[in-house]
Structure formats: C-alpha cells, structure tokens
C-alpha cells in the first residue's frame, strides 16, 4: 500500500510545470556549500537541511521527474508508517484503509509531486508517532533513541512541523517522563537552531498576510485537497476518534491510562515473577491464538486499543495531531508574526487518513466493503482536484505557457517584473528568447533568489522598439496598480501596451508586450 501511495503521488509529476518554490529549490541546491550557507543566513534558513539533501540529489540532473521523485518516496514512507501505526492502534486492516485514504487525497498528489520538503515533513511526523507508540509500548533505551531521531527529523524537514509535538505530550506518564522528555528535548535541538535562524529572517515572509480564525473553515479542504472529501473525512475522523476512545477497557479490571505503568516496567516485572512453566505457556498460546483470530476478523488486538487502556488516550493524541497545528500556527501568527500558510499544515493529512481508517475498520461487519465505498466516494468527490493538480498549470505558475505567448522578433527585449522569474524562464526556454537587457550577472544574488539587474530600465531599453514584460500576478496588479514597478518604468521609457495575457489561475503569470510610442 505504501508503494501504491508513492505511485499515486508520482503520477502527473511530469505534467504540472515547476513553480517558483520548486525553482527556488534548484537555485539553492545548485550553489556551493558556502553559497547555501550564505543564502541560509538571509532567507530560507529553515530549509537548509532539505537544500543540503537536494544539493547531492541534483548532481544526477534537474529534470522535473527527478526533482520530484524524493517527495513521492516520502509519501510512500508516510503511508508505510500509517499502515503499521494503524495495526498497532487497532488492526492491520485499519492501517491499510488509512494508507488507501491517504493515497487518494489530492493534497498528497500535489505535495508528493512537489520539489519541496512538505512530503518529507509528513513522513517524519508519521515516523515520530510510530516511534512514540513503540517506545510507550515497551520503555527501552533503544526505542526512545529511535523516537528522538524521529523528532529530530520532524524538526529538520520543516520548522512548523514541530506543531504536532504538543499532541505527543499527552502520553507523558509516570514511569516514562524522563526518557520521553529527554528524547523529545534532544530531538528538538534542530528546531531551536532553525527557529532562531528563521526568526531573524522574518522579513523574508513579510508577504504573508495576517489571518483570523476564519481560516479554520478552509482547513478540511487544505488537509484533504478538496472541500467535499475533506468534510467527509473529518466526519469519519471524529467517528474514528470516538470509537478508538470507546475501545479502551472499562470496569473493575480496567487500568486507567494515567495510572498505568509503561510496558517493560513494574507490571512486566510482576508478570515475569508469576508462576512459570506450563501454565504460562498455555496462557501465552491462548493469547496468541486470540490475537490471530482478531487479526483475521479485522478486530483490534491487545497491543492496539485494548489491553492497557492506551487506546483511550491515543484517541486524543491523534485528534491533537490533526487539529493542534492549525490552532498553534494561527496563535504564532497573532502573537509573533504572520506565518499562517496552508501548505505548512500538510503534516496533518496523515492523521486525517488514519482516523478515517480507524472509523471504517471499527465497523462490526463489512469493513472491506465500507473501505471500498469510502475510497471510491473519495475519488468521486475529488476527481476535479486530481485533474487540476495534474494539468500543466497545476502549480499555478505556468512558465511554458508564457514562453508560448512570447513571439520574439530579432532585437526584442524582455523585462522581468520579479527578477527571480528569470530562473524559470532559463530552465524551460528551448528557443530564441528576447534579449535580457537588465541582467548583469549569470548567478543569482548570494542573499536571495533574485538576480542583480541594471537600475535604469530606460537606458537598457534604448534602441529597442518592442519589450516583453512578465510578472507574477494578475494583469491589474501590474497595469493598474504599483505592485510591479518595472511596468511603470517601461511605460516611462516611452512604451505603450500592445498585448497582455494572464494564465488561468491566480496568482499566475502575466505576459505583456509593449511597443515604442
């Protein structure tokens, strides 16, 4: 199922063209190690671990498929951890259903074919919850070490992926306070370092507007990638959390989670000190047979939602994984600086799929039929979104379209409204391009993704009769407003508008032709 999820994410990778963020990955990863460090000191410092990885990866090439392959692999890894975490919490069937739901999300198709670190972050987060379950199940040093490594990966893949970690604190209990908090503290060292770097680079995200609580209404669509599918899965997720909570043992023999010792602790010792011999072997055999029967029936096993009562608290942990990141991200936006961007919350998508998988697997009968219905209905509710993310303009910055609009004649000039657009046009250009009259160097600026340019557009355009101007945004933003100063400079240099076209989606690209008056 993890392989299918990776394949689903990888389909369409060669259809949608690279957008500005992905081109920034190429720009950053193509620099020397010292150049990447210089860039990180000014912008995108929290992406430095990803850029270091991609620095090695692109030594084999920068084709679209190759650039996006690591993200598809990350989706496959996340799906694998979902399968096993679902098995641990309920049953193998629950994990498989969760991975199937995860695979059909349009958001997974988008970020699984996106040359940025968001798929890596989702995989690292799923790994951290899986490692935490193992460590809580049996408190051993090596398991806590694995958990600490997982937390470090969460912190290294994306700074705001750490917003899932408060949900894990719900599992802090007597007998494992020290190892759990120690592993989490050591794992969070990268977050502390990258957070300090990012705080000093707040100017780089000044484009992010301040948001209010109304953004939470769009959260289901963000997590799933489609509104109808998102609402359906959120309803299933609520059911899954309730059923997981109710699956915890009750009655006189039940041990509340907040009083339970971690496995491998005192209770394990008492069990070992009990009557050895034939009785223990027979009990073990019966327990194994019962668990095998449950697995065949798709019912929860003792290591999942039953036994020690941990299923009840894990219901809250999974809900926290799903809902705390948007709440905390908005809080950071209000208290520190605006940072609320939908794509920063892709790490919640695995939790949405897992809770939905638990809900379907908890049905008393016909779980397989219900799973097929959920997957097919989910595909039907999101078919348009799946088509959209696989179109040429699926990343909403269609540079090949812009190149087709430009019909260059000899001595035509080109001016970029945002100098970093030059990276994409140089990446995709395969025919005669207008003369780049403002460019003064082959390499981008060491402290950003823009290029050094001549300050005087009028002088650079002297002797030219036609100039193409390309900018990110709508036609109105460049022609009627002051958002694109280069347009005003071209007009002031003695040119008038002859043609203007905008790509299909916002912000998109605008291509305009200006001719000498």
């Amino acid at each position: 199922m993890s392989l299918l999820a990776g394949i689903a994410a990888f389909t369409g990778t060669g259809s949608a063209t690279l957008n500005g963020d992905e081109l920034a990955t190429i720009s950053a990863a193509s620099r020397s190690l010292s150049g990447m460090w210089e860039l990180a000191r000014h912008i995108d410092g929290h992406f430095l671990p990803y850029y270091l990885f991609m620095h090695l990866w692109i030594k084999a090439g920068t084709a679209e498929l190759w650039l996006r392959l690591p993200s598809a692999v990350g989706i496959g890894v996340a799906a694998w951890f979902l399968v096993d975490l679902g098995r641990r919490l309920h049953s193998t069937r629950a994990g498989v259903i969760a991975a199937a739901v995860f695979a059909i999300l349009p958001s997974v198709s988008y970020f699984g074919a996106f040359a940025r670190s968001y798929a890596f972050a989702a995989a690292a987060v799923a790994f951290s919850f899986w490692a935490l379950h193992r460590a809580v199940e049996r408190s051993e040093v090596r398991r806590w070490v694995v958990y600490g490594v997982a937390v470090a990966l969460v912190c290294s893949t994306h700074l705001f992926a750490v917003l899932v970690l408060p949900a894990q604190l719900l599992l802090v209990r007597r007998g494992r306070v020290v190892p759990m908090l120690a592993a989490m503290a050591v794992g969070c060292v990268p977050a502390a370092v990258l957070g300090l770097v990012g705080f000093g680079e707040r100017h780089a995200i000044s484009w992010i507007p301040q948001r209010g609580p109304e953004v939470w209404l769009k959260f289901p669509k963000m997590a799933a990638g489609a509104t109808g599918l998102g609402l359906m899965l959120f309803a299933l997720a609520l059911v899954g959390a309730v059923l997981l909570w109710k699956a915890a043992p009750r009655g006189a023999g039940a041990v509340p989670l907040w009083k339970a010792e971690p496995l491998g602790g005192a209770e394990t010792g008492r069990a070992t000190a009990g009557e050895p011999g034939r009785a223990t072997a027979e009990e073990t055999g019966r327990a194994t047979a019962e668990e095998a029967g449950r697995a065949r029936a798709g019912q929860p096993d003792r290591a999942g939602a039953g036994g020690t009562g941990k299923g009840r608290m894990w219901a809250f942990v999974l809900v926290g994984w799903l809902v705390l990141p948007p709440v905390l991200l908005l809080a950071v936006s209000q208290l520190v600086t605006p940072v609320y961007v939908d794509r920063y919350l892709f790490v919640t998508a695995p939790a949405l799929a897992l809770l939905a998988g638990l809900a379907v697997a908890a049905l008393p009968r016909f779980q397989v039929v219900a799973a097929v219905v959920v997957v097919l209905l989910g595909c039907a509710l999101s078919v348009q979104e799946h088509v959209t993310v696989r179109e040429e303009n699926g990343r909403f910055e269609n540079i090949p379209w812009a190149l087709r609009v430009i019909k260059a004649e000899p001595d035509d000039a080109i001016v970029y409204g945002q100098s970093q657009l030059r990276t994409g046009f140089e990446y995709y250009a395969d025919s005669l391009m207008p003369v780049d009259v403002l460019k003064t160097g082959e390499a981008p600026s060491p402290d950003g993704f823009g290029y050094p340019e001549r300050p005087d557009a009028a002088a650079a355009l002297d002797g030219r009769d036609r100039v193409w101007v390309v900018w990110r945004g709508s036609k109105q933003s460049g022609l009627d407003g002051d958002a694109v100063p280069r347009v005003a400079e071209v007009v002031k240099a003695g040119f008038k508008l002859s043609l203007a076209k905008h790509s299909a989606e916002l912000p998109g690209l605008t291509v305009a032709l200006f001719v000498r008056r």
Side-chain angles (χ1 to χ4, degrees), residues 44-420:
D44 273 5
H46 61 288
F47 280 117
L48 181 59
Y50 176 70
Y51 288 157
L52 288 171
F53 168 79
M54 292 301 291
H55 176 74
L56 300 175
W57 186 260
I58 66 172
K59 290 185 180 298
T62 57
E64 291 172 341
L65 292 173
W66 185 248
L67 286 169
R68 290 167 169 172
L69 178 59
S71 292
V73 173
I75 292 298
V77 171
W80 186 91
F81 283 118
L82 281 184
V83 171
D84 202 57
L85 186 54
R87 177 189 66 82
R88 290 171 170 275
L89 291 171
H90 187 277
S91 62
T92 300
R93 184 170 293 166
V96 171
I97 297 171
V101 171
F102 186 62
I104 67 167
L105 299 181
S107 58
V108 167
S109 292
Y110 186 96
F111 291 107
F114 195 56
R116 298 294 275 180
S117 66
Y118 301 108
F120 282 29
V125 165
F127 176 31
S128 71
F129 281 89
W130 175 86
L132 179 58
H133 191 283
R134 291 179 72 248
V136 169
E137 182 182 53
R138 184 176 298 117
S139 188
E140 298 176 349
V141 172
R142 61 185 179 87
R143 295 194 174 198
W144 288 115
V145 170
V146 172
Y147 171 64
V149 170
V151 172
L153 288 175
V154 170
C155 299
S156 300
T157 51
H158 195 275
L159 180 61
F160 292 112
V162 301
L163 298 179
V164 305
L165 298 180
Q168 298 180 356
L169 293 174
L170 295 173
L171 293 175
V172 173
R173 290 294 179 271
R174 176 170 53 89
R176 57 172 176 264
V177 173
V178 173
M180 181 175 175
L181 294 185
M184 183 178 287
V186 172
C188 283
V189 169
V193 175
L194 296 176
L196 289 174
V197 172
F199 187 78
E201 299 175 348
R202 298 188 306 281
H203 63 279
I205 57 173
S206 59
W207 56 270
I208 301 177
Q210 186 61 271
R211 308 284 189 178
E214 70 278 357
V215 294
W216 293 335
L217 297 176
K218 301 179 181 179
F219 180 58
K221 177 183 179 180
M222 186 289 309
T227 301
L229 176 60
L231 293 174
M232 181 188 79
L233 293 181
F234 263 77
L236 278 177
L238 178 60
V239 173
V242 172
L243 293 177
L244 184 61
W245 180 81
K246 291 180 68 175
R250 299 179 181 182
V255 181
L257 178 63
W258 55 88
K259 294 182 179 179
E261 293 284 348
L263 294 180
E267 291 183 3
T268 303
R270 287 194 293 271
T272 304
E275 286 191 7
R278 181 178 303 172
T280 302
E282 291 173 354
E283 292 171 1
T284 302
R286 285 196 297 271
T288 303
E290 290 174 3
E291 289 171 1
R294 289 190 184 93
R296 287 191 297 270
Q299 297 174 353
D301 52 41
R302 292 182 185 273
T308 63
K310 60 190 174 186
R312 180 164 295 183
M313 187 51 67
W314 267 94
F316 291 103
V317 171
L318 295 184
V319 171
W321 177 1
L322 178 61
V323 303
L324 279 181
V327 173
L328 295 176
L329 189 62
L330 187 61
V332 173
S333 294
Q334 297 290 336
L335 299 175
V336 183
T337 189
V339 292
Y340 196 102
V341 178
D342 286 345
R343 60 180 177 270
Y344 295 169
L345 300 172
F346 177 62
V347 292
T348 62
L352 179 63
L354 181 55
L355 284 167
L358 290 170
V360 175
L363 293 173
R365 300 177 64 184
F366 306 117
Q367 300 102 324
V368 174
V369 174
V372 172
V373 170
V374 167
V375 170
L376 292 179
L377 181 58
C379 290
L381 290 172
S382 60
V383 61
Q384 183 56 52
E385 286 76 10
H386 277 290
V387 171
T388 298
V389 301
R390 288 166 171 79
E391 292 176 344
E392 184 181 68
N393 194 39
R395 302 297 177 269
F396 311 131
E397 195 166 311
N398 194 345
I399 293 175
W401 167 85
L403 287 168
R404 291 193 296 269
V405 172
I406 297 174
K407 306 296 184 182
E409 296 181 1
D411 296 327
D412 278 6
I414 188 168
V415 169
Y416 296 100
Q418 298 89 11
S419 68
Q420 60 268 33

